[in-house]
Short mmCIF file of all heavy atoms in Angstrom, two decimals:
data_model
loop_
_atom_site.label_atom_id
_atom_site.label_comp_id
_atom_site.label_asym_id
_atom_site.label_seq_id
_atom_site.Cartn_x
_atom_site.Cartn_y
_atom_site.Cartn_z
N SER A 307 -10.23 -22.50 -14.50
CA SER A 307 -10.05 -21.85 -15.85
C SER A 307 -9.18 -20.60 -15.89
O SER A 307 -9.29 -19.67 -16.59
CB SER A 307 -11.45 -21.33 -16.44
OG SER A 307 -12.03 -20.39 -15.65
N THR A 326 -13.23 -30.63 -21.32
CA THR A 326 -14.25 -29.86 -20.69
C THR A 326 -13.57 -29.15 -19.47
O THR A 326 -12.89 -29.77 -18.65
CB THR A 326 -15.30 -30.75 -20.12
OG1 THR A 326 -15.93 -31.48 -21.22
CG2 THR A 326 -16.46 -29.87 -19.39
N VAL A 327 -13.78 -27.86 -19.36
CA VAL A 327 -13.23 -27.02 -18.37
C VAL A 327 -14.28 -26.64 -17.36
O VAL A 327 -15.38 -26.13 -17.66
CB VAL A 327 -12.57 -25.79 -18.90
CG1 VAL A 327 -12.02 -24.86 -17.79
CG2 VAL A 327 -11.44 -26.04 -19.88
N TYR A 328 -14.06 -26.91 -16.12
CA TYR A 328 -15.00 -26.62 -15.02
C TYR A 328 -14.48 -25.40 -14.23
O TYR A 328 -13.40 -25.42 -13.79
CB TYR A 328 -15.22 -27.78 -14.07
CG TYR A 328 -15.89 -28.99 -14.73
CD1 TYR A 328 -15.20 -29.94 -15.41
CD2 TYR A 328 -17.28 -29.07 -14.61
CE1 TYR A 328 -15.84 -31.02 -15.98
CE2 TYR A 328 -18.00 -30.24 -15.18
CZ TYR A 328 -17.20 -31.15 -15.90
OH TYR A 328 -17.85 -32.25 -16.49
N GLU A 329 -15.33 -24.45 -14.10
CA GLU A 329 -15.09 -23.21 -13.36
C GLU A 329 -16.16 -22.93 -12.33
O GLU A 329 -17.40 -22.90 -12.61
CB GLU A 329 -15.03 -22.06 -14.29
CG GLU A 329 -14.89 -20.59 -13.66
CD GLU A 329 -13.71 -20.54 -12.73
OE1 GLU A 329 -12.57 -20.86 -13.11
OE2 GLU A 329 -13.99 -20.05 -11.61
N LYS A 330 -15.69 -22.64 -10.97
CA LYS A 330 -16.69 -22.49 -9.90
C LYS A 330 -17.35 -21.12 -9.98
O LYS A 330 -18.50 -20.92 -9.53
CB LYS A 330 -15.97 -22.62 -8.65
CG LYS A 330 -15.00 -21.55 -8.19
CD LYS A 330 -14.44 -21.87 -6.78
CE LYS A 330 -13.49 -20.75 -6.42
NZ LYS A 330 -12.96 -21.05 -5.02
N SER A 331 -16.70 -20.11 -10.67
CA SER A 331 -17.28 -18.79 -10.72
C SER A 331 -18.31 -18.70 -11.93
O SER A 331 -18.42 -19.58 -12.73
CB SER A 331 -16.24 -17.68 -10.92
OG SER A 331 -15.33 -17.60 -9.81
N ASP A 332 -18.86 -17.50 -12.10
CA ASP A 332 -19.83 -17.34 -13.09
C ASP A 332 -19.30 -16.98 -14.46
O ASP A 332 -19.95 -16.93 -15.48
CB ASP A 332 -20.95 -16.30 -12.75
CG ASP A 332 -20.24 -14.98 -12.46
OD1 ASP A 332 -19.05 -14.94 -12.10
OD2 ASP A 332 -20.93 -13.95 -12.47
N ARG A 333 -17.86 -16.72 -14.49
CA ARG A 333 -17.25 -16.36 -15.77
C ARG A 333 -15.91 -17.12 -15.84
O ARG A 333 -15.27 -17.50 -14.84
CB ARG A 333 -17.00 -14.83 -15.80
CG ARG A 333 -18.19 -13.95 -16.00
CD ARG A 333 -17.79 -12.56 -16.06
NE ARG A 333 -18.98 -11.68 -16.35
CZ ARG A 333 -19.79 -11.19 -15.48
NH1 ARG A 333 -19.59 -11.31 -14.17
NH2 ARG A 333 -20.77 -10.36 -15.98
N ILE A 334 -15.52 -17.38 -17.08
CA ILE A 334 -14.28 -18.07 -17.30
C ILE A 334 -13.12 -17.04 -17.15
O ILE A 334 -13.17 -15.99 -17.59
CB ILE A 334 -14.33 -18.69 -18.75
CG1 ILE A 334 -15.46 -19.83 -18.85
CG2 ILE A 334 -12.99 -19.27 -19.14
CD1 ILE A 334 -15.23 -20.92 -17.98
N GLY A 335 -12.06 -17.69 -16.66
CA GLY A 335 -10.80 -16.83 -16.62
C GLY A 335 -10.08 -16.95 -15.29
O GLY A 335 -8.87 -16.65 -15.18
N VAL A 356 -11.78 -16.99 -25.24
CA VAL A 356 -12.61 -18.14 -24.75
C VAL A 356 -13.63 -18.50 -25.97
O VAL A 356 -13.81 -19.67 -26.27
CB VAL A 356 -13.43 -17.79 -23.60
CG1 VAL A 356 -14.45 -18.77 -23.26
CG2 VAL A 356 -12.52 -17.72 -22.33
N LYS A 360 -13.93 -22.15 -27.66
CA LYS A 360 -15.25 -22.77 -27.86
C LYS A 360 -15.43 -23.24 -29.29
O LYS A 360 -15.91 -24.42 -29.52
CB LYS A 360 -16.31 -21.86 -27.38
CG LYS A 360 -16.50 -21.66 -25.93
CD LYS A 360 -17.66 -20.73 -25.62
CE LYS A 360 -17.88 -20.48 -24.19
NZ LYS A 360 -18.96 -19.49 -23.98
N THR A 365 -15.22 -27.35 -24.21
CA THR A 365 -16.46 -27.20 -23.66
C THR A 365 -16.14 -26.45 -22.27
O THR A 365 -15.25 -26.89 -21.52
CB THR A 365 -17.21 -28.44 -23.32
OG1 THR A 365 -17.42 -29.08 -24.71
CG2 THR A 365 -18.51 -28.24 -22.53
N PHE A 366 -16.94 -25.50 -21.95
CA PHE A 366 -16.79 -24.72 -20.63
C PHE A 366 -18.07 -24.90 -19.80
O PHE A 366 -19.13 -24.70 -20.28
CB PHE A 366 -16.48 -23.29 -20.83
CG PHE A 366 -15.18 -22.97 -21.55
CD1 PHE A 366 -15.08 -22.86 -22.89
CD2 PHE A 366 -14.00 -22.90 -20.79
CE1 PHE A 366 -13.80 -22.61 -23.54
CE2 PHE A 366 -12.79 -22.61 -21.32
CZ PHE A 366 -12.77 -22.45 -22.71
N VAL A 367 -17.88 -25.21 -18.48
CA VAL A 367 -18.95 -25.32 -17.59
C VAL A 367 -18.74 -24.35 -16.42
O VAL A 367 -17.77 -24.51 -15.72
CB VAL A 367 -19.14 -26.79 -17.03
CG1 VAL A 367 -20.35 -26.79 -16.04
CG2 VAL A 367 -19.24 -27.74 -18.16
N THR A 368 -19.55 -23.27 -16.29
CA THR A 368 -19.41 -22.42 -15.15
C THR A 368 -20.32 -22.71 -14.03
O THR A 368 -21.16 -23.59 -14.08
CB THR A 368 -19.75 -20.93 -15.68
OG1 THR A 368 -20.99 -20.94 -16.12
CG2 THR A 368 -18.74 -20.43 -16.65
N ASN A 369 -20.05 -21.95 -12.89
CA ASN A 369 -20.87 -22.25 -11.64
C ASN A 369 -20.70 -23.62 -11.14
O ASN A 369 -21.60 -24.16 -10.55
CB ASN A 369 -22.36 -21.83 -11.94
CG ASN A 369 -22.50 -20.47 -12.29
OD1 ASN A 369 -22.02 -19.56 -11.73
ND2 ASN A 369 -23.29 -20.25 -13.35
N ALA A 370 -19.59 -24.26 -11.37
CA ALA A 370 -19.39 -25.67 -11.10
C ALA A 370 -18.23 -25.72 -10.09
O ALA A 370 -17.10 -25.68 -10.46
CB ALA A 370 -19.11 -26.50 -12.33
N ASN A 371 -18.67 -25.96 -8.87
CA ASN A 371 -17.63 -25.97 -7.72
C ASN A 371 -17.28 -27.44 -7.51
O ASN A 371 -18.01 -28.13 -6.73
CB ASN A 371 -18.14 -25.30 -6.50
CG ASN A 371 -16.96 -24.93 -5.52
OD1 ASN A 371 -15.85 -25.51 -5.64
ND2 ASN A 371 -17.28 -24.06 -4.67
N VAL A 372 -16.26 -27.93 -8.08
CA VAL A 372 -15.86 -29.38 -7.98
C VAL A 372 -15.39 -29.73 -6.65
O VAL A 372 -14.53 -29.14 -6.10
CB VAL A 372 -14.92 -29.79 -9.09
CG1 VAL A 372 -14.47 -31.14 -8.93
CG2 VAL A 372 -15.42 -29.46 -10.49
N ASN A 395 -22.72 -16.98 -4.74
CA ASN A 395 -23.12 -17.25 -6.19
C ASN A 395 -24.32 -18.19 -6.09
O ASN A 395 -24.23 -19.44 -5.85
CB ASN A 395 -22.02 -17.86 -6.94
CG ASN A 395 -22.38 -18.18 -8.38
OD1 ASN A 395 -23.46 -17.87 -8.79
ND2 ASN A 395 -21.47 -18.74 -9.16
N ASP A 397 -26.13 -19.42 -8.38
CA ASP A 397 -26.12 -20.49 -9.41
C ASP A 397 -25.13 -21.47 -9.21
O ASP A 397 -25.10 -22.44 -10.05
CB ASP A 397 -25.98 -19.77 -10.77
CG ASP A 397 -27.14 -18.82 -11.06
OD1 ASP A 397 -28.28 -19.18 -10.74
OD2 ASP A 397 -26.83 -17.70 -11.65
N GLU A 398 -24.29 -21.35 -8.30
CA GLU A 398 -23.17 -22.31 -8.07
C GLU A 398 -23.66 -23.61 -7.58
O GLU A 398 -24.48 -23.73 -6.77
CB GLU A 398 -22.18 -21.69 -7.13
CG GLU A 398 -20.89 -22.53 -6.81
CD GLU A 398 -19.95 -21.91 -5.83
OE1 GLU A 398 -19.94 -20.61 -5.85
OE2 GLU A 398 -19.35 -22.60 -5.09
N LYS A 399 -23.10 -24.73 -8.29
CA LYS A 399 -23.51 -26.00 -7.95
C LYS A 399 -22.37 -26.87 -7.68
O LYS A 399 -21.27 -26.75 -8.26
CB LYS A 399 -24.43 -26.67 -9.01
CG LYS A 399 -25.71 -25.99 -9.24
CD LYS A 399 -26.58 -26.61 -10.26
CE LYS A 399 -27.96 -26.03 -10.47
NZ LYS A 399 -27.92 -24.55 -10.70
N SER A 400 -22.42 -27.90 -6.68
CA SER A 400 -21.28 -28.77 -6.40
C SER A 400 -21.24 -29.87 -7.48
O SER A 400 -22.31 -30.42 -7.87
CB SER A 400 -21.52 -29.34 -5.03
OG SER A 400 -20.46 -30.25 -4.72
N VAL A 401 -20.08 -30.21 -7.90
CA VAL A 401 -19.80 -31.31 -8.75
C VAL A 401 -18.93 -32.32 -8.00
O VAL A 401 -17.87 -32.00 -7.55
CB VAL A 401 -19.13 -30.91 -10.09
CG1 VAL A 401 -18.79 -32.05 -10.94
CG2 VAL A 401 -20.07 -29.81 -10.80
#
Side-chain angles (χ1 to χ4, degrees):
S307 68
T326 300
V327 178
Y328 291 85
E329 169 56 51
K330 68 178 180 179
S331 294
D332 58 337
R333 290 181 172 88
I334 296 297
V356 169
K360 286 180 180 178
T365 300
F366 292 94
V367 181
T368 55
N369 301 312
N371 200 339
V372 177
N395 181 3
D397 297 321
E398 185 179 323
K399 293 179 175 60
S400 177
V401 177

